[in-house]
Amino acid sequence: MDFETIFPFAQLAAKIAFVVGLALGVVPIMVWFERRGAAWMQGRVGPNRVGPFGLLQPLADVIKFFHKEDFTPRNANKFYYYLAPMMALIAPLCAMSVIPFGSHIVVEGKTVVLQIAEMDAGVLFILAFAGLEVYPIILAGWASRNKYSVLGALRGSSQIVSYEISMGLSLLSMLIVYGSVNPHDMVAWQSENWWGFLMNPFGALVFWISIFAETNRLPFDLPEGESELVAGYHLEYGAMKFALFFMAEYVAMIMASALISTLFFGGYGILPGMQMLIDMIVNHFGFSAVGAQNTLAAFQVLSLVSKVAFFMFMFVWVRWTLPRFRFDQLMDLGWKILFPLSLINLVVVTLAVYYFNS
Amino acid sequence: MATINVSKKYTAREKAYIPAILIGMKITMKRFIQGFLFRKHDTIMYPEQRRKYSDRFRGAHFISVDSNKTENCTACFLCETICPAECIHIVADEREDEQNPYGVKKEKKPVSFDIDLLRCCFCGFCEEACPKDAIKMSGNYEMATSSREEAIVDLDQLKRPMNGRHELNEGKKK
């Protein structure tokens, strides 16, 4: 095997390892931050016993999950029962494969595009996999043969399907603005002009609200409800199967944050003021054009990560601020307010784009 | 039947949600910064720090002993009789005279004195009823056990010198 044959596979494997490693590696930190952040907001201390600042608490949780009884309900449909948590984790991970985390780097004279799957229909692929997130919920609720699970799955799926419409419409308005479904083009457009949310603030707001509903986060965490449906669709799941659902929630959050960053907040486009820093580093070390490009790519990854981190923080912040909606209020908000408003927004954006382009 | 109308007309500002949400997020952000940067919290680090309870706090029971380590209890059954939870179980017997070197008359003695701490409602009636100040309630509130049987404490576990009520954790150490 020579270098020429092995290189495409090696770079792909490295990118997959980077993205999956980053996504799954952020989950324990996020769990820790969710708990500590909640504690800080509520005037508590939070978990601080295991390791420095309680950072090893997620590890302790995982050890606990491994020691729990791996329970399967007698009447459960085994195949779908086991399939659901796997799908829950795989769907958002797959969707992350088309999110570009940098323009490109140059290794040994070869260009490596920092995106796992380079496809032109990138955003549509993400939408397809975002739609796939309904299935694990329905499968989990149905396969575990529990009335509460089915009710939770009903709620979860109807909520996701409802909010997918306003999410899709606000996304569509952005596609019209960018004139492309390729995430790289979108980021390039935003680097040249304005960040997307300045062009279409209303679309950004609707998209952001829909993301909360899509990821089942508060204030829209209706699929779970201790008083009325116990734990909802993952009621019958214990041990690592529950941990998979738990991780899936956070991976879906990371995916959603990366998506909203790419669509509305410049994606991997460097943050304002970073260009100066890059120039300084390049001049100081005397990098060639290749080195300058790689430095730029590193800062692009850093920019995307910090944008994603900001939205992850927003998830936690909103979660511990707002009380949850009642289910009919949730549906009212989705169908009677967000859906018409995003439709109007789509029409307005379309007219504006037509006006400015002609 | 009188009805009270609690519904109100919402103003446009209230209906728009967003201003109210922003106010709420401002408050949580303030608390977040207070907690994260200034380490401000209203809770205490429990096993290391403890709150001071009132002097009248009724915790785990103990049976006071005299200087000869003999319990003051004379098995009069007043506590068992008054106990609303029926958690005290006494078996009485006659006391040997040698056990009273100080000449204190304690004709009866408890052979066994069991308190079921899971049944006890910590009302303090036993303490009030006791004519000998034998059964007392301490300030100890750490009575967790790993089984129901361990929650039934016997005479040896209950006996301790009466050094005031507030020697926490002294009552039940084994």
Side-chain angles (χ1 to χ4, degrees), chain A residues 30-58 61 320, chain B residues 31-32 34-36 39-49:
Chain A
M30 204 51 215
V31 173
W32 172 84
F33 180 74
E34 176 108 46
R35 297 177 65 183
R36 282 312 289 268
W40 288 326
M41 284 176 197
Q42 295 168 351
R44 295 186 286 118
V45 182
N48 64 346
R49 303 269 161 167
V50 195
F53 308 107
L55 271 169
L56 297 181
Q57 181 70 40
D61 289 346
W320 298 108
Chain B
R31 296 301 300 257
F32 180 82
Q34 279 175 353
F36 175 56
R39 300 275 157 214
K40 182 177 176 291
H41 50 85
D42 304 320
T43 51
I44 56 165
M45 305 301 294
Y46 162 59
E48 292 92 24
Q49 287 177 301

Side-chain angles (χ1 to χ4, degrees), chain B residues 42-134:
Chain B
D42 304 320
T43 51
I44 56 165
M45 305 301 294
Y46 162 59
E48 292 92 24
Q49 287 177 301
R50 283 151 198 282
R51 291 204 195 284
K52 190 174 173 345
Y53 279 86
S54 154
D55 283 344
R56 305 175 65 178
F57 181 79
R58 299 190 296 265
H61 315 73
F62 68 94
I63 290 178
S64 59
V65 294
D66 60 19
S67 54
N68 201 28
K69 302 275 190 226
T70 308
E71 66 279 353
N72 288 331
C73 178
T74 56
C76 66
F77 286 83
L78 278 179
C79 49
E80 185 175 333
T81 311
I82 202 163
C83 182
E86 295 179 7
C87 68
I88 303 178
H89 303 286
I90 308 172
V91 178
D93 194 11
E94 207 162 305
R95 195 186 293 277
E96 307 289 321
D97 277 349
E98 302 87 68
Q99 280 185 312
N100 306 326
Y102 296 96
V104 186
K105 271 277 187 209
K106 291 175 183 169
E107 297 94 345
K108 281 171 80 189
K109 69 161 185 180
V111 177
S112 76
F113 193 112
D114 295 340
I115 299 178
D116 188 346
L117 289 177
L118 291 177
R119 288 202 65 140
C120 178
C121 62
F122 299 94
C123 61
F125 282 5
C126 49
E127 188 181 12
E128 266 180 60
C130 187
K132 292 285 181 187
D133 272 358

Side-chain angles (χ1 to χ4, degrees), chain A residues 29-151:
Chain A
I29 299 169
M30 204 51 215
V31 173
W32 172 84
F33 180 74
E34 176 108 46
R35 297 177 65 183
R36 282 312 289 268
W40 288 326
M41 284 176 197
Q42 295 168 351
R44 295 186 286 118
V45 182
N48 64 346
R49 303 269 161 167
V50 195
F53 308 107
L55 271 169
L56 297 181
Q57 181 70 40
L59 194 73
D61 289 346
V62 168
I63 292 169
K64 190 199 79 173
F65 274 130
F66 271 119
H67 282 88
K68 290 240 169 181
E69 184 191 356
D70 192 18
F71 172 76
T72 309
R74 193 179 8 156
N75 292 325
N77 185 327
K78 297 278 184 327
F79 177 69
Y80 292 124
Y81 179 77
Y82 283 103
L83 184 67
M86 293 180 206
M87 255 177 97
L89 188 61
I90 289 169
L93 274 179
C94 280
M96 228 178 288
S97 66
V98 283
I99 293 192
F101 49 94
S103 55
H104 61 92
I105 56 172
V106 182
V107 184
E108 299 280 325
K110 286 187 171 42
T111 306
V112 176
V113 178
L114 292 181
Q115 183 188 21
I116 294 173
E118 297 158 36
M119 50 173 87
D120 288 336
V123 170
L124 301 181
F125 184 84
I126 293 172
L127 274 190
F129 273 93
L132 208 61
E133 278 174 41
V134 187
Y135 285 89
I137 292 179
I138 295 179
L139 283 182
W142 187 252
S144 49
R145 283 273 174 107
N146 183 313
K147 305 294 180 291
Y148 291 118
S149 297
V150 175
L151 283 172

Side-chain angles (χ1 to χ4, degrees), chain A residues 176 344-358:
Chain A
I176 289 166
I344 294 167
N345 184 51
L346 176 64
V347 172
V348 170
V349 168
T350 313
L351 290 176
V353 168
Y354 179 76
Y355 175 76
F356 283 114
N357 284 359
S358 60

